Amino acid sequence: MPTGLLNGGGSLNMKDMTATILKRIGHSVITLFVISILIFIGVEALPGDLAESILGQNALPETVEAFRKELKLDLPPHVRYISWLGDFVQGDMGRSLSNHRPITDLIGWRLSNTLFLAAVAAMVAVPLAIILGILTALYRNTLFDRIVSMVSLSAISFPEFFIAYILIALLSVKLSLFPSIATMDGQMSLMDKLYTIVLPCLTLTMVVLAHMMRQTRAAIINVLATPYIEMALLKGVSRLRVVVVHAFPNALSPVINVVALNMAYLVAGVVIVEVVFVYPGLGQLLVDSVAKRDLPVVQASGLIFASVYIGLNLIADLLSIASNPRLRNPR
Amino acid sequence: MKNILNIKGLTIEGFNDNQWSTIVDGVDLTLARGEVLGLIGESGAGKSTIGLASMGYSRRGCRISSGSILFDGTELCQASDRVKQKIRGTRIAYVAQSAAASFNPAHRLIRQCTETRVRHGQLTAAQAEKEAIENYRRLLLPDPEGIGFRYPHQVSGGQLQRAMVAMAMACKPDIIVFDEPTTALDVTTQIEVLNAIKQITRHLGTAALYITHDLAVVSQLADRIMVLKNGRKVEENQTRKLLDTPGKSYTQKLLSVRSQRPIKKPVQLKQNVILEVNQVSAAYKKKELVLDTIDLTIRRGQTVALVGESGSGKSTLARAITGLLPPLSGEVIFQGNPLGASYRSRDRESLRKMQMIYQMPETALNPKQTIETAIGRPLSFYFGISGREKRKQVLEFLDRIELPASYINRYPGELSGGEKQRVCVARALAAKPELVICDEVTSALDNLVGEEILKLLQNLQNDLGVSYLFITHDLATVRAIADEVVVMLKGKIVEKGPRNKILNSPGHDYTKRLLNSVPKMNPDWLDDLLEKRKNTRSKKAA
Amino acid sequence: MSSLIKFIQKAPWSARIGIIILVMNIAVAAFAPVISPYGETEITGDVWEEMSLTHPLGTDHLGRDLLTRMIYGARNTIALALTITFLSFTLGTLGGFLAATLGGWCDTLLSRMVDLVLSFPTLIFALMVLSVAGTSILSLICVIAVLDATRVFRLARAVAMDIAVMDFVEAGRLRGEKTGWIILREILPNALPPLVAEFGLRFCFVFLFIACLSFLGLGIQPPTADWGSMVKENAGAITFGIFTPLWPAAAIALITVGVNLIVDWFLNLASGLKE
């Protein structure tokens, strides 16, 4: 095969690569769209009239009628869906049923709080998980590996709130190091904020860390078992170089996949952790609204959670494509 | 002459089923500077393990339990990791069986080829690259300046294997360990790699351990051959002496595998036609044709061998005939009746008359079914035989395939590869077929075991008069079993005819090339062939 | 039976611990009315009493005996988790096998639906459905079973696909066997080991999931005893230095650790990894 052909093939496949990426992005957009329809229909499918079921059987007909107007229930469903989605995209999410405040106001700073907590937890958990995963893979079947494996197996078996309450019992009640309730307000400095969220963040980190570390370890062991790693050892390459130069570039793509997969635990964990620590976040709001059946708020926060989750997965997939040597350098 | 490598009483154990068992049992081995020693044996002989041990390396789950490995005065058994690291790649290099798996997919070839040279501080990156390109040129790789800057998946298998030889010779090592470097390659590609290896062992004076199961291949390269079986040395001798006067019966057996057996019964042309393949074309997923207007005829009691290299479409033809891959055009006619394109549209009787034996006996038998179920199912499915009668007939079949009656209650996992393949033969024959399609039935087996399977198939044909369509890449197998030969290349039939005509006076260039690429048990074969090819090339140029 | 004992004798110590934990839990759940000192909803003391002879684990936020609540909680939670796991398993395996053997539009349709559900965090999905359907036991069972079935579907389909391309399945097809035989006799026996391990993992997941929902006040509703809701109800105690909520939380942790230990052993057996 002459080089010219190779270069030609390369540029041709650059197009394929772009196509793959565009396809992946399109896929996410469609998924999000379908989910928004599902969320909307889900509320529609509620048995009986929404207004009546919320106001109760004894409500005056005029009240019900006014309420229906407020919810735009007098319009046909597809019109309502389009206006709902249109408003949503523009930042108008309607009003809460329970306290009639604009949902955007309710959600705004709670979303930023949740993202703050999740981001801090991810920043601690992801690098730590990858480092521990690599170390346990390298020193597999040693005492160190067995202990870490045992601890992480327990951690994935524990419910999030168990870890949270153990931490509270130890670090807050017994040692009085950190607050057991994470109250936030807008005036707090970054350091104060960080101090406040130490326990929720620690809980979240432990949950995500355990899952991520176990899967990273498996991914790295897979790479270490390949013939090209044996070849590198037989070429007299040092152990460190084998790991850094020969194993890591190939492990990158599976490890990114692992990180993406574990975003689900981060999202679920954040809801529980917020409830335990009474943290003013989106998860807390969602749980409260579900209990109160405040459907517009549930719809809005559900869609936000979905968008964030799908967005994170998209980014991870794109990174994974970009880090795969075969995909990056096509035939 | 001082030996560069001196192995004494090497014993290696492997961890299996919760206990250590011996893989290599007290092997002694010496290698002089510039000498090539061939290690030959079938699977389980421990030859690869010895090859790796000579670099002071043992795989996970193995341990060198006793013995001494003396490399140029350094004892590798007790050497520290640092010492071994310094020797590996620079003084002893390794060439693995599968270059495609052994090159790191994340780096360009040249970076991997120069790694040892640069890392051990012998040359700068630029110097090493220049030298690597020189090596590519010496090994006759196409586009020596450019090929190194490709990634492994962008280069073909044969070229990758040569690039790996280039990588091994980068530091001009004292010894190179070749571990089955041509086993995964087609015969026509194999020649180029063998030539490359011959180049460096002869012209650079590098000593080598050449590990293979193929006696003909190793006799082209080795000065001396050591025969191994089950981790023990069987015998060791100069190549020519070993080939001419093998001392042990095991060596004799290995030698006789490749020799041609006496010509079978004369070809019976007037027999009635069983299968007619008429203008069949097929493709996967609407892409280019994998089969291009194939015509083929099989007569009763005959064996037609379908020969071709990987990607020639020979297995696809089997899938088209059985209806697993419905052809795009053309038809398959069985005993005068056109068969449905897909196996789903065929009736039970026509399915029964055509049976198949697969390449991998491991995946061809359901691991959760006993041998009785495996052989008995066609009996009950096609003939409604059940209970005691079925068991009786299964026992008869076991007798036919020369397996003890006690095997009837066993599961496939308790059988060896060859035994499993026998069960597959019995399962096919239990349907009382007219035609059996044998897809590479011996290529996953050791030579000696495969030989037994071929003999069994021949005996059964003599008794039962079934026809075989025998798909294979191995010309020695063709020689042994075929009445007629069909040669395929890139989805087309290039030549077909009676065996002796095709093998002795082939008409098509490709058939000629294929035939003379098969190594012979003659140490001068490779040199003669290369000499001949050089002459014809220079003649053509003139 | 004796072969089962022999099988267990070969198990590593970690798996044996898991088996002991599991057997104990099931025994407690089965004989709850016999071994519990008081009735399920009986108020027998003051709020959050310390451990004593009459109340071995103390009392809860309403003054009920915690040990009794724990024992009944085991019964309710384990029974519910098992029901859901069986349901989701049947659903997922059936769907997965059908998708793998039939292929075509059946496979495409099922896979797309599953992909959609999986592209959404499970907890959020469950919360939204429960907000609409209400928090009855029936809707709880349906929601978790369907959500969980999607994961079983993925695995069952992947495993069946791997087996369906094996030569012995092809040989069966070429023999003219019907789809039923192919699924039941050729594929299922070979798919069993990974599926059994998956059953354990799914059980853990379902168990934790119910506990989570109960903890959020959206799962099993009071006064039925359940470990998750017991943690929630008694959460306030912890700030007073009373560790009542840790008991049910630890019980949840213990049973999932036990099952995970057994699953690990099974996975090792199935993959033939003997270290």
Side-chain angles (χ1 to χ4, degrees):
Chain A
M1 189 172 27
T3 16
L5 199 105
L6 179 76
N7 293 340
S11 66
L12 189 88
N13 276 289
M14 226 25 232
K15 263 187 220 155
D16 286 358
M17 176 95 165
T18 322
T20 316
I21 291 173
L22 286 179
K23 224 165 141 187
R24 183 64 190 80
I25 295 174
H27 184 253
S28 296
V29 172
I30 291 171
T31 310
L32 200 55
F33 185 66
V34 176
I35 280 178
S36 75
I37 294 178
L38 278 184
I39 290 176
F40 187 78
I41 292 176
V43 177
E44 286 289 306
L46 195 67
D49 189 291
L50 179 65
E52 264 177 31
S53 77
I54 289 163
L55 295 174
Q57 300 257 306
N58 306 329
L60 292 170
E62 299 90 81
T63 335
V64 172
E65 201 49 43
F67 192 67
R68 287 173 66 93
K69 271 252 161 60
E70 189 194 328
L71 287 179
K72 298 177 186 158
L73 283 178
D74 45 347
L75 298 171
H78 63 274
V79 177
R80 272 184 292 134
Y81 170 70
I82 290 168
S83 80
W84 173 67
L85 192 66
D87 288 351
F88 188 92
V89 173
Q90 288 167 24
D92 176 12
M93 305 178 194
R95 281 170 184 276
S96 152
L97 289 182
S98 56
N99 56 17
H100 300 282
R101 287 175 54 196
I103 297 174
T104 316
D105 294 357
L106 274 177
I107 284 181
W109 87 294
R110 284 168 182 269
L111 176 62
S112 68
N113 283 346
T114 297
L115 289 180
F116 178 63
L117 174 61
V120 174
M123 275 192 284
V124 181
V126 173
L128 205 59
I130 293 175
I131 291 170
L132 273 178
I134 293 174
L135 285 180
T136 46
L138 276 184
Y139 300 103
R140 58 185 180 282
N141 299 338
T142 58
L143 189 65
F144 165 71
D145 176 36
R146 273 164 215 270
I147 290 171
V148 173
S149 287
M150 208 58 213
V151 170
S152 67
L153 181 76
S154 315
I156 61 170
S157 308
F158 289 4
E160 290 90 344
F161 51 78
F162 185 42
I163 300 177
Y165 283 124
I166 292 179
L167 289 177
I168 291 180
L170 279 178
L171 300 180
S172 178
V173 177
K174 286 271 173 208
L175 300 174
S176 306
L177 286 177
F178 302 103
S180 69
I181 289 181
T183 23
M184 301 280 278
D185 63 62
Q187 276 76 52
M188 289 165 83
S189 70
L190 183 65
M191 279 323 284
D192 283 346
K193 276 186 177 175
L194 285 176
Y195 175 71
T196 314
I197 64 162
V198 164
L199 285 187
C201 185
L202 206 57
T203 313
L204 213 47
T205 303
M206 284 183 69
V207 173
V208 178
L209 179 74
H211 282 102
M212 214 182 271
M213 192 220 86
R214 284 172 75 84
Q215 291 173 28
T216 306
R217 175 180 181 270
I220 304 262
I221 285 183
N222 253 340
V223 173
L224 288 179
T226 52
Y228 57 78
I229 295 299
E230 181 173 74
M231 189 69 220
L233 286 172
L234 290 174
K235 271 161 72 179
V237 177
S238 69
R239 264 196 113 68
L240 183 70
R241 194 176 155 83
V242 165
V243 172
V244 176
V245 176
H246 289 269
F248 190 69
N250 294 294
L252 204 54
S253 179
V255 166
I256 289 174
N257 271 328
V258 166
V259 172
L261 274 177
N262 287 287
M263 288 303 156
Y265 294 105
L266 192 66
V267 170
V270 108
V271 174
I272 306 278
V273 165
E274 284 181 9
V275 171
V276 172
F277 293 96
V278 205
Y279 181 80
L282 198 55
Q284 170 90 276
L285 178 70
L286 177 62
V287 173
D288 285 349
S289 309
V290 172
K292 284 189 246 166
R293 302 187 82 178
D294 191 343
L295 293 172
V297 180
V298 174
Q299 273 182 338
S301 37
L303 195 54
I304 290 177
F305 265 118
S307 319
V308 171
Y309 181 66
I310 290 172
L312 284 175
N313 267 313
L314 175 66
I315 294 170
D317 267 12
L318 293 183
L319 283 176
S320 170
I321 291 173
S323 63
N324 187 329
R326 278 168 201 261
L327 288 174
R328 211 176 45 212
N329 310 291
R331 235 165 222 285
Chain B
M1 190 164 47
K2 205 184 153 220
N3 287 329
I4 183 84
L5 182 71
N6 223 331
I7 296 181
K8 269 216 178 86
L10 179 67
T11 303
I12 300 173
E13 295 178 327
F15 196 68
N16 217 334
D17 283 333
N18 279 321
Q19 57 181 14
W20 291 97
S21 54
T22 309
I23 303 175
V24 174
D25 193 1
V27 168
D28 299 333
L29 180 155
T30 57
L31 189 64
R33 278 188 190 277
E35 186 190 32
V36 180
L37 173 66
L39 290 180
I40 184 157
E42 310 216 278
S43 55
K47 51 196 191 303
S48 287
T49 317
I50 295 175
L52 289 171
S54 64
M55 305 180 72
Y57 181 87
S58 58
R59 290 211 165 110
R60 189 165 271 276
C62 294
R63 64 176 185 201
I64 299 172
S65 53
S66 68
S68 120
I69 302 161
L70 208 61
F71 168 77
D72 200 18
T74 313
E75 174 56 57
L76 292 183
C77 275
Q78 274 102 44
S80 68
D81 281 350
R82 266 198 91 76
V83 172
K84 284 192 276 196
Q85 215 181 77
K86 259 193 157 158
I87 291 176
R88 286 181 197 158
T90 53
R91 303 204 55 202
I92 313 183
Y94 182 73
V95 175
Q97 172 170 356
S98 167
S102 298
F103 269 116
N104 193 323
H107 301 300
R108 295 175 197 277
L109 290 179
I110 201 150
R111 183 157 172 219
Q112 303 185 49
C113 289
T114 55
E115 188 175 14
T116 40
R117 207 65 164 139
V118 178
R119 293 305 299 180
H120 288 100
Q122 298 175 339
L123 290 179
T124 67
Q127 288 169 324
E129 274 182 18
K130 233 172 140 188
E131 192 188 72
I133 290 170
E134 214 36 62
N135 284 338
Y136 296 151
R137 186 165 291 135
R138 190 200 290 265
L139 296 180
L140 303 173
L141 277 163
D143 182 24
E145 285 86 11
I147 195 165
F149 295 92
R150 297 191 202 165
Y151 285 89
H153 65 276
Q154 297 169 328
V155 179
S156 77
Q159 293 173 12
L160 266 188
Q161 202 73 52
R162 275 184 278 165
M164 179 158 281
V165 175
M167 178 160 87
M169 61 193 269
C171 289
K172 304 192 172 58
D174 298 303
I175 304 176
I176 300 183
V177 178
F178 295 97
D179 193 353
E180 305 252 16
T182 64
T183 306
L185 303 176
D186 284 326
V187 274
T188 47
T189 328
Q190 173 170 267
I191 297 281
E192 290 155 7
V193 178
L194 288 182
N195 185 19
I197 295 170
K198 188 126 202 170
Q199 285 288 321
I200 57 159
T201 51
R202 187 170 296 169
H203 300 301
L204 297 183
T206 312
L209 280 179
Y210 194 98
I211 297 159
T212 179
H213 67 282
D214 191 332
L215 200 46
V217 164
V218 80
S219 60
Q220 307 309 315
L221 301 163
D223 302 308
R224 223 157 24 103
I225 294 179
M226 178 189 287
V227 183
L228 292 158
K229 188 187 177 191
N230 296 334
R232 285 166 198 250
K233 189 198 291 188
V234 175
E235 68 175 310
E236 185 184 352
N237 213 332
Q238 301 297 323
T239 301
R240 281 173 204 278
K241 277 188 192 154
L242 188 98
L243 293 181
D244 294 342
T245 53
K248 295 276 164 38
S249 63
Y250 182 70
T251 316
Q252 282 167 4
K253 266 203 223 161
L254 284 181
L255 272 166
S256 67
V257 162
R258 286 282 183 160
S259 56
Q260 187 172 359
R261 257 169 282 153
I263 293 173
K264 232 172 43 185
K265 67 196 170 186
V267 181
Q268 300 131 315
L269 273 176
K270 281 184 189 143
Q271 298 273 13
N272 40 350
V273 172
I274 289 265
L275 181 87
E276 237 187 302
V277 175
N278 214 340
Q279 303 276 308
V280 163
S281 297
Y284 291 105
K285 288 181 190 168
K286 289 174 199 154
K287 281 190 185 160
E288 68 239 62
L289 289 182
V290 186
L291 294 178
D292 192 354
T293 50
I294 299 289
D295 285 311
L296 188 76
T297 306
I298 301 177
R299 293 178 171 78
R300 187 181 298 281
Q302 257 201 341
T303 300
V304 174
L306 191 57
V307 192
E309 295 186 295
S310 52
S312 62
K314 53 191 194 305
S315 287
T316 311
L317 182 55
R319 294 178 71 79
I321 293 173
T322 51
L324 285 166
L325 179 73
L328 295 177
S329 62
E331 55 182 354
V332 178
I333 302 167
F334 197 79
Q335 294 184 323
N337 305 315
L339 291 176
S342 163
Y343 71 93
R344 290 175 210 267
S345 59
R346 297 181 186 176
D347 60 33
R348 197 176 272 204
E349 206 44 25
S350 28
L351 288 173
R352 177 184 71 77
K353 287 180 180 169
M354 190 150 60
Q355 291 291 316
M356 185 135 174
I357 305 174
Y358 294 86
Q359 173 175 8
M360 310 286 267
E362 275 67 34
T363 60
L365 289 175
N366 188 337
K368 301 285 179 199
Q369 288 178 357
T370 60
I371 304 307
E372 179 175 9
T373 319
I375 302 178
R377 181 61 190 169
L379 293 173
S380 54
F381 186 76
Y382 293 124
F383 309 111
I385 300 168
S386 61
R388 287 179 117 172
E389 177 60 23
K390 184 167 100 177
R391 197 173 169 86
K392 201 187 115 212
Q393 291 204 13
V394 172
L395 284 172
E396 282 170 21
F397 273 110
L398 279 179
D399 189 45
R400 266 235 150 92
I401 57 173
E402 295 150 27
L403 289 184
S406 60
Y407 275 37
I408 191 162
N409 291 326
R410 289 203 187 180
Y411 286 92
E414 302 167 71
L415 272 58
S416 72
E419 289 169 341
K420 273 182 253 187
Q421 195 62 295
R422 283 168 188 267
V423 173
C424 292
V425 171
R427 180 177 65 182
L429 292 174
K432 305 201 169 52
E434 308 277 338
L435 171 69
V436 177
I437 299 176
C438 306
D439 188 0
E440 300 270 12
V441 290
T442 56
S443 53
L445 304 170
D446 278 332
N447 273 334
L448 291 179
V449 180
E451 173 106 342
E452 294 296 313
I453 297 285
L454 289 184
K455 273 186 195 154
L456 175 72
L457 284 170
Q458 191 55 63
N459 293 339
L460 290 167
Q461 186 175 51
N462 295 344
D463 292 355
L464 306 170
V466 290
S467 312
Y468 292 137
L469 175 60
F470 216 96
I471 297 168
T472 182
H473 69 277
D474 181 24
L475 286 154
T477 309
V478 174
R479 219 174 273 278
I481 197 157
D483 300 312
E484 273 201 55
V485 179
V486 176
V487 185
M488 278 187 82
L489 175 68
K490 291 177 187 160
K492 287 187 182 162
I493 291 179
V494 295
E495 191 169 11
K496 60 182 166 186
R499 173 187 54 164
N500 286 351
K501 184 188 164 286
I502 300 277
L503 294 187
N504 298 335
S505 50
H508 194 277
D509 272 357
Y510 175 70
T511 319
K512 282 180 198 162
R513 197 149 64 86
L514 195 64
L515 279 170
N516 67 27
S517 296
V518 178
K520 304 237 158 44
M521 213 70 90
N522 166 10
D524 301 321
W525 168 81
L526 183 63
D527 291 335
D528 292 350
L529 180 76
L530 293 173
E531 190 62 31
K532 233 188 266 168
R533 285 195 181 174
K534 215 195 236 165
N535 290 341
T536 47
R537 220 173 289 146
S538 55
K539 253 184 226 162
K540 265 183 197 164
Chain C
M1 194 63 206
S2 65
S3 66
L4 184 72
I5 292 169
K6 255 186 210 159
F7 187 60
I8 290 173
Q9 273 174 347
K10 270 194 219 159
W13 60 270
S14 58
R16 282 191 213 184
I17 294 175
I19 291 170
I20 293 170
I21 293 173
L22 192 67
V23 168
M24 263 171 48
N25 268 292
I26 289 172
V28 166
F31 300 108
V34 185
I35 49 176
S36 61
Y38 305 96
E40 184 177 356
T41 54
E42 201 180 333
I43 295 174
T44 55
D46 212 355
V47 175
W48 289 331
E49 272 181 35
E50 296 277 316
M51 295 182 197
S52 64
L53 275 178
T54 44
H55 300 291
L57 295 180
T59 58
D60 73 356
H61 67 302
L62 296 177
R64 294 170 292 196
D65 179 52
L66 195 69
L67 180 65
T68 308
R69 297 287 288 171
M70 291 276 294
I71 292 171
Y72 276 101
R75 182 170 224 195
N76 298 331
T77 322
I78 292 175
L80 187 64
L82 270 181
T83 315
I84 295 176
T85 315
F86 269 114
L87 203 62
S88 80
F89 217 72
T90 321
L91 221 62
T93 322
L94 203 68
F97 278 13
L98 277 180
T101 35
L102 292 181
W105 64 265
C106 167
D107 183 21
T108 315
L109 186 77
L110 285 173
S111 298
R112 280 293 131 76
M113 273 166 51
V114 165
D115 281 352
L116 193 70
V117 175
L118 286 175
S119 68
F120 204 71
T122 321
L123 183 65
I124 309 295
F125 204 112
L127 286 180
M128 303 199 59
V129 178
L130 288 177
S131 76
V132 175
T135 49
S136 69
I137 293 280
L138 186 69
S139 56
L140 199 66
I141 291 179
C142 293
V143 170
I144 306 182
V146 170
L147 282 180
D148 211 41
T150 54
R151 314 217 165 216
V152 180
F153 171 89
R154 276 248 173 126
L155 180 89
R157 180 174 172 275
V159 169
M161 286 283 218
D162 280 352
I163 301 171
V165 296
M166 296 272 229
D167 290 338
F168 65 82
V169 178
E170 190 181 298
R173 288 183 207 270
L174 282 181
R175 201 185 304 135
E177 303 279 9
K178 303 257 183 310
T179 308
W181 167 280
I182 301 268
I183 289 185
L184 288 178
R185 300 301 295 275
E186 307 283 0
I187 294 181
L188 187 65
N190 291 292
L192 228 43
L195 285 180
V196 168
E198 179 70 5
F199 187 88
L201 282 180
R202 287 296 107 204
F203 176 79
C204 282
F205 183 83
V206 168
F207 202 87
L208 286 175
F209 203 69
I210 297 174
C212 251
L213 287 176
S214 294
F215 174 75
L216 295 176
L218 305 168
I220 301 171
Q221 298 298 319
T224 313
D226 156 74
W227 291 344
S229 18
M230 286 167 70
V231 180
K232 165 144 189 106
E233 289 158 3
N234 295 294
I238 201 132
T239 39
F240 304 119
I242 305 167
F243 299 131
T244 317
L246 287 185
W247 287 107
I252 297 169
L254 188 69
I255 192 168
T256 40
V257 168
V259 175
N260 262 327
L261 287 175
I262 302 176
V263 167
D264 253 26
W265 170 46
F266 259 81
L267 284 176
N268 272 341
L269 278 185
S271 66
L273 266 176
K274 286 164 200 139
E275 296 189 315

